[in-house]
């Protein structure tokens, strides 16, 4: 079945992850500058809410993608702090 209502969104990073009432909530954001000389700030733009079971079932696919990106040299293994993620500052 073809779904004509599928929406495509762009995000730069995950800004928050939480779990409650059997649901994983992942908040995404985009980096924006308040002014030309300002440091980019992550502005929250999208919240994905998925049952814990659905989240857990997605992990093999996500890990497979990470493994492929590492193998292809698109990603390099680094410490989380080196990635500059707002989740580890």
């Amino acid at each position: 079945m073809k779904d004509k209502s599928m929406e495509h969104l762009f995000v730069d990073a995950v800004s928050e992850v939480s779990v409650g009432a059997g649901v994983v909530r992942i908040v995404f954001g985009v980096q924006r500058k308040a002014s030309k000389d300002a440091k980019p700030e992550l502005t929250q733009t999208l919240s994905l809410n998925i049952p814990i079971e659905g989240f857990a079932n997605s992990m093999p696919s996500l890990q497979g993608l990470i493994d492929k990106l590492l193998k292809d040299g698109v990603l390099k293994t680094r410490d989380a702090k080196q990635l500059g993620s707002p989740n580890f500052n």
Side-chain angles (χ1 to χ4, degrees), residues 1-76:
M1 182 170 97
K2 192 172 183 180
D3 183 3
K4 295 181 182 181
S5 65
M6 182 180 230
E7 188 173 350
H8 298 272
L9 303 171
F10 176 82
V11 298
D12 288 308
V14 171
S15 68
E16 181 183 329
V17 178
S18 60
V19 179
V23 175
V24 175
R25 179 175 181 252
I26 306 171
V27 179
F28 298 92
V30 294
Q31 289 195 359
R32 297 191 173 129
K33 289 184 176 187
S35 67
K36 185 178 178 180
D37 298 324
K39 181 179 175 182
E41 292 184 16
L42 195 63
T43 302
Q44 295 180 341
T45 57
L46 172 70
S47 175
L48 173 66
N49 302 286
I50 183 170
I52 290 174
E53 185 176 345
F55 176 77
N57 289 339
S58 71
M59 295 314 298
S61 294
L62 294 172
Q63 187 61 54
L65 176 59
I66 290 171
D67 293 344
K68 181 179 181 340
L69 293 172
L70 286 168
K71 180 182 172 196
D72 294 347
V74 175
L75 287 178
K76 305 276 188 247

